[in-house]
Amino acid sequence: MAAGIIDGKAVAARVRATLKGEVAAFYAATGIQPGLATVLVGGDPASEVYVASKRKSSVAAGMADLHQHLAEDTSQAEVEELLRALAADPAVSGILLQLPVPAHLDAAALIDLIPFEKDVDGLTTMSVGLLAQNKPGLRPCTPSGVLELLDAYDVPIEGANVVVIGRSELVGRPVAQLLVNRNATVTIAHSRTRNLAEVCRGADIVVAAAGVKGLITADHIKPGATVIDVGIHRGPDGLSGDVDFGAVAEVAGLITPVPGGVGPMTIAMLLSNTLRAAELQYALALR
Ligand code: NAP
């Protein structure tokens, strides 16, 4: 194998350790303990696991766990009432509405009730606009994790040719915008892109976020390129990604494994966002 491995577990552990110190320092300086309100509607088993992990990690970082669990049949009006209360509560630094919500709820309308200074998922229309305009704000967690990994391994971003595969609101679009804001030359590929392999072969950095197992093969990669695999697929042999890891690792310069690459970064960046949210609210209150 030629490629160096980007160790997301190690980078995430470093981010979390640094953050723990920053949370303690912020608390000592302001008397404010950052608090994360995860909001789970219903009992989707995967969502319960994700939320439990976010709560545990926030407590480990020294933050307050302000979790809210609502029944599956909670009405739109009742969820809206809770989100408005959390938005107004000064003990709540960050609000995270766990997705997907039950089908009878309007997720987009609920997300937009989260004020931008508490939007730790970075998914509200306001936060998306702030990112598009390259103005300060809270950025989506997985895309921020991708940038953090590139920086941790000193991968040059400015001027680099980057292909992002995927244009979802959750991953593809925000990753592309974060990279453009860092002066990369970015191509966004998607399901209608013609000759994906040829498009990717021009890239110094490939970010695969298509949700198609093994889509990216050695044929897509320029020798020495950096390959970031955001995809997660559960199979009989465990987790795998959008990248054919074994073959691509023979060609790439650096590559993220699945598991142990991008995945661990998502919660680390959520915690980071929760502290940034608390700092932002403190600064706004001083104005
Ligand atoms: P998504 O909403 O399904 O979006 C997939 C995107 O990929 C779409 O823009 C789609 O194009 C494009 N696409 C699909 N098939 C393609 C193909 N054959 N060639 C090129 N582009 C193709 O998925 P997502 O939410 O962005 O998630 C993407 C993957 O990342 C999933 O595997 C998900 O599980 C994983 N993920 C991981 C983390 C983490 O923490 N590591 C976090 C979030 C998501 P169109 O727009 O044309 O349909």
Side-chain angles (χ1 to χ4, degrees):
M1 180 168 60
I5 303 294
I6 295 179
D7 185 348
K9 262 170 127 171
V11 178
R14 281 207 297 278
V15 169
R16 284 158 73 149
T18 305
L19 200 69
K20 195 171 175 178
E22 289 177 352
V23 169
F26 180 73
Y27 187 32
T30 65
I32 297 167
Q33 182 187 24
L36 175 63
T38 44
V39 178
L40 178 62
V41 188
D44 175 63
S47 293
E48 286 200 353
V49 171
Y50 292 140
V51 167
S53 172
K54 289 166 186 175
R55 294 174 64 192
K56 197 172 148 204
S57 305
S58 67
V59 170
M63 299 177 183
D65 171 19
L66 307 172
H67 176 64
Q68 306 285 326
H69 195 169
L70 299 175
E72 180 89 25
D73 60 355
T74 307
S75 69
Q76 179 82 12
E78 286 168 324
V79 186
E80 288 183 2
E81 192 182 323
L82 173 66
L83 291 173
R84 286 199 179 92
L86 294 172
D89 184 347
V92 175
S93 312
I95 304 170
L96 182 148
L97 177 66
Q98 183 65 39
L99 300 173
V101 291
H104 68 279
L105 297 174
D106 178 349
L110 293 173
I111 288 170
D112 273 343
L113 287 175
I114 300 171
F116 79 96
E117 70 274 17
K118 296 192 178 188
D119 178 21
V120 288
D121 249 350
L123 295 178
T124 62
T125 304
M126 181 73 176
S127 294
V128 172
L130 291 170
L131 171 59
Q133 295 182 347
N134 199 12
K135 288 181 178 161
L138 298 167
R139 309 309 194 205
C141 301
T142 303
S144 301
V146 169
L147 274 282
E148 193 77 26
L149 287 178
L150 293 172
D151 287 338
Y153 282 79
D154 294 323
V155 178
I157 294 175
E158 179 161 332
N161 290 326
V162 184
V163 174
V164 175
I165 304 142
R167 56 176 166 179
S168 72
E169 286 175 30
L170 191 62
V171 188
R173 283 171 202 261
V175 163
Q177 258 163 344
L178 285 167
L179 289 160
V180 167
N181 292 347
R182 291 279 300 272
N183 300 316
T185 303
V186 181
T187 302
I188 303 178
H190 45 75
S191 67
R192 317 287 169 85
T193 298
R194 285 195 297 267
N195 206 345
L196 183 64
E198 192 181 309
V199 172
C200 290
R201 271 198 303 272
D204 305 306
I205 302 170
V206 172
V207 180
V212 179
K213 185 177 161 144
L215 176 70
I216 304 303
T217 65
D219 193 38
H220 293 70
I221 303 301
K222 178 169 82 175
T226 298
V227 179
I228 305 288
D229 190 353
V230 183
I232 301 180
H233 307 279
R234 271 169 227 284
D237 303 332
L239 294 184
S240 62
D242 285 1
V243 174
D244 177 0
F245 181 84
V248 171
E250 296 293 335
V251 183
L254 279 170
I255 186 168
T256 58
V258 178
V262 174
M265 295 305 295
T266 299
I267 288 188
M269 302 320 291
L270 169 67
L271 302 178
S272 171
N273 271 354
T274 306
L275 175 60
R276 303 291 160 244
E279 290 170 344
L280 185 58
Q281 286 151 57
Y282 184 69
L284 289 171
L286 290 180
R287 274 193 190 165

